[in-house]
Amino acid sequence: QVQLVESGGGVVQPGRSLRLSCEASGFPFSSHGMHWVRQAPGKGLEWVAVIWYDGTKQFYADSVKGRFTISRDNSKNMLYLQMNSLTAEDTAIYYCTRDQVGRFDYWGPGTLVTVSS
Amino acid sequence: DIVLTQSPATLSLSPGERATLSCRASQSVSVHLAWFQQKPGQAPRLLIYDTSNRATGIPARFSGSGSGTDFTLTISSLEPEDFAVYYCQQRISDWPPLFTFGPGTKVDIK
């Protein structure tokens, strides 16, 4: 069965960096685009970034463009999100989600990132 | 940018009642509108994609409809496990591909 498991969250100081990981299993990872979606505490969902199935293209929400980088390693079935210059507004649960013809059909349980001094 | 609004913000109903949730786009969007359910402490779950197609394993009491700027999620008869927050989601740009979610509707027990 499809499984996505995020890791790498934690408490980080403003201005610092953090890298999130998402381990995928149960499906042909290299055949699917992947997204990161985040949710601030008590708030709604915000799309963050997408990466093409082969890693050749990446796109970002304006709120993270220039600070976050999405990448993947298809040989390891891994998705990543490198987050730099973090601010309190980046505090959220970060979910990885699989793209199936434009729909987000499977989600991981999420990993919490807290940006605080 | 296309903005999705959802109404009402909160819907208070009893089990067995019908729930009608609205999602409105600021301009006409494609049929690639989706609905998600989220329960406290859980990840969102895909319910409906492409306006009216139920995702795998989703009960028939969930249905979606709409076109243009107005879309609806209907739960025909609420079960206890349906009390949750519901989000609509749309791809708002073909190129570059950009996506957005509505602010959500909370369905709680009356």
Side-chain angles (χ1 to χ4, degrees):
Chain A
Q1 70 281 21
V2 173
Q3 282 201 328
L4 300 168
V5 180
E6 304 90 343
S7 61
V11 180
V12 61
Q13 293 180 328
R16 303 298 291 267
S17 299
L18 201 64
R19 188 176 87 150
L20 305 182
S21 300
C22 171
E23 183 174 5
S25 60
F27 68 99
F29 181 69
S30 61
S31 297
H32 289 265
M34 296 293 296
H35 301 261
W36 287 98
V37 175
R38 68 183 181 181
Q39 186 170 36
K43 303 297 184 182
L45 301 168
E46 180 187 16
W47 175 78
V48 173
V50 60
I51 187 167
W52 254 223
Y53 68 99
D54 57 0
T56 56
K57 292 182 173 57
Q58 308 85 33
F59 299 95
Y60 302 90
D62 286 344
S63 58
V64 307
K65 197 177 298 182
R67 299 188 300 122
F68 288 14
T69 302
I70 187 172
S71 63
R72 65 191 298 160
D73 185 339
N74 284 348
S75 68
K76 297 180 179 179
N77 287 358
M78 295 293 295
L79 175 72
Y80 304 102
L81 186 67
Q82 176 68 43
M83 304 186 295
N84 299 332
S85 303
L86 286 162
T87 73
E89 287 67 44
D90 297 315
T91 294
I93 297 172
Y94 285 75
Y95 298 101
C96 66
T97 172
R98 188 180 82 163
D99 187 297
Q100 173 69 13
V101 197
R103 57 187 182 263
F104 304 170
D105 65 344
Y106 286 93
W107 297 61
T111 187
L112 176 62
V113 173
T114 302
V115 183
S116 174
S117 55
Chain B
D1 287 355
I2 296 175
V3 176
L4 299 180
T5 57
Q6 291 186 243
S7 60
T10 302
L11 193 54
S12 297
L13 294 169
S14 301
E17 290 193 293
R18 181 184 188 90
T20 303
L21 288 66
S22 173
C23 177
R24 178 163 290 177
S26 57
Q27 56 187 280
S28 184
V29 296
S30 74
V31 298
H32 301 303
L33 184 116
W35 291 92
F36 295 84
Q37 176 193 66
Q38 189 178 32
K39 297 178 182 179
Q42 295 185 18
R45 177 174 71 146
L46 177 66
L47 297 176
I48 301 287
Y49 65 93
D50 292 351
T51 300
S52 59
N53 295 289
R54 277 188 302 277
T56 303
I58 301 304
R61 64 181 181 271
F62 291 92
S63 63
S65 63
S67 65
T69 59
D70 293 303
F71 298 84
T72 300
L73 174 69
T74 302
I75 310 171
S76 59
S77 178
L78 283 163
E79 296 289 339
E81 62 268 28
D82 298 337
F83 292 93
V85 179
Y86 293 84
Y87 296 95
C88 59
Q89 176 261 325
Q90 173 64 267
R91 177 167 172 163
I92 59 173
S93 168
D94 284 335
W95 198 265
L98 302 173
F99 304 84
T100 193
F101 291 86
T105 290
K106 182 178 182 180
V107 179
D108 65 15
I109 300 177
K110 187 173 182 181

